[in-house]
Amino acid sequence: MSERSDRYFTELMAVVAETSPPPSPWPGAPPAPLAPLWRPVPGWAMATAVAFVGVLVFIGVTGLLVRDGGGDVAAQPSQAVSIVTPDGVALRGDLWAGSDVAVVVVGAYGAAAGELDPITEPLAALGYTVVTYDPRAQGRSGGSVEPQLLDDDLGAAVAQLRDEGGAVYVVAYLHSGAAALAAAGEGRLDVHGLVGLFPMEQYLEQDALAAIGGVEVPLLLIGGSDRLALEAPPGTERLSLAPDHVIVTKSGTSIADLVDEFIATIEG
């Protein structure tokens, strides 16, 4: 790893560790005493390591569900895309060309490349136009590490797709789930429907718990906390998944199938 890459990775991991709250309890799980992950300890490196391990454990457990899958997939995207944010940063990503129904899939902040493949590829195989992109300063995207702009960046991706016509849906995972719910609840995300995939209640200024009641588009929560479900508007669909409960549906690609069923219901 080059010195520049090493500096970037260290900065990114520090930001993720310092800004990610402890994960919410699994719905229906008995309360258990947990040692706080963010408790100050001597030494910056030790504090960052402990916090980031907690984030990785949560991402890894939920990832068992996201990665569960199989069946036919569209292995390669049709083309690379560039999404320009309001402040001029180019977010690079991939597009699978399909129908006039588009799905933007955004993942956890600081996650490894390929995390979203088990969702994006099956959705593309089902015929949707699918778009995913690297967050700022990650992968191919420009800019610096600014997770507080996850909501604005998602809004730019949605706006770009809406300019091309057709319906636009969003599937947002973990940190991005909080950003998407906050933006939608505040009327800043112009979509036809939204799927929160294990969304955090709050991430930095992106307060999903406070805003979710204002979401006016069809909403599906896959995982997520009881508090989010209670504050969600009437008509919200919810699936409570525990770490040892993997839903496998007709094609074996559980999350993609659930998204497909959700969109199909709305599109008629």
Side-chain angles (χ1 to χ4, degrees), residues 20-57:
S20 295
S24 302
W26 292 101
L34 296 175
L37 293 175
W38 318 149
R39 181 174 55 204
V41 296
W44 175 89
M46 180 62 72
T48 298
V50 172
F52 188 55
V53 164
V55 175
L56 284 181
V57 167

Side-chain angles (χ1 to χ4, degrees), residues 88-139:
V89 172
L91 305 178
R92 311 290 183 183
D94 294 307
L95 179 145
W96 290 256
S99 71
D100 61 355
V101 177
V103 185
V104 181
V105 185
V106 286
Y109 198 77
E115 174 194 50
L116 300 175
D117 291 353
I119 302 176
T120 56
E121 294 175 356
L123 285 174
L126 288 166
Y128 296 104
T129 292
V130 181
V131 171
T132 187
Y133 58 88
D134 298 326
R136 292 170 182 248
Q138 290 183 235

Side-chain angles (χ1 to χ4, degrees), residues 39-254:
R39 181 174 55 204
V41 296
W44 175 89
M46 180 62 72
T48 298
V50 172
F52 188 55
V53 164
V55 175
L56 284 181
V57 167
F58 182 58
I59 291 176
V61 170
T62 58
L64 293 176
L65 295 168
V66 174
R67 289 180 176 81
D68 176 76
D72 296 330
V73 295
Q76 297 297 325
S78 304
Q79 64 187 73
V81 294
S82 179
I83 297 159
V84 180
T85 68
D87 59 344
V89 172
L91 305 178
R92 311 290 183 183
D94 294 307
L95 179 145
W96 290 256
S99 71
D100 61 355
V101 177
V103 185
V104 181
V105 185
V106 286
Y109 198 77
E115 174 194 50
L116 300 175
D117 291 353
I119 302 176
T120 56
E121 294 175 356
L123 285 174
L126 288 166
Y128 296 104
T129 292
V130 181
V131 171
T132 187
Y133 58 88
D134 298 326
R136 292 170 182 248
Q138 290 183 235
R140 298 158 291 174
S141 293
S144 56
V145 177
E146 297 182 88
Q148 71 275 15
L149 298 178
L150 282 174
D151 50 354
D152 290 344
D153 294 347
L154 175 57
V158 168
Q160 186 164 313
L161 278 172
R162 287 191 66 86
D163 287 344
E164 298 172 6
V168 180
Y169 292 82
V170 163
V171 178
Y173 178 43
L174 213 62
H175 308 77
S176 295
L181 288 170
E186 295 165 2
R188 297 185 288 109
L189 194 64
D190 188 9
V191 293
H192 288 71
L194 173 60
V195 178
L197 181 58
F198 297 95
M200 290 181 171
E201 291 182 358
Q202 184 173 6
Y203 183 55
L204 301 175
E205 296 87 356
Q206 296 148 140
D207 194 338
L209 188 61
I212 192 172
V215 176
E216 296 182 350
V217 298
L219 175 61
L220 170 62
L221 295 176
I222 301 176
S225 70
D226 288 326
R227 293 203 302 171
L228 274 176
L230 288 172
E231 295 297 326
T236 296
E237 295 184 56
R238 188 198 184 197
L239 293 167
S240 298
L241 307 184
D244 58 350
H245 182 198
V246 178
I247 293 178
V248 177
T249 54
K250 55 184 179 294
S251 72
T253 52
S254 58

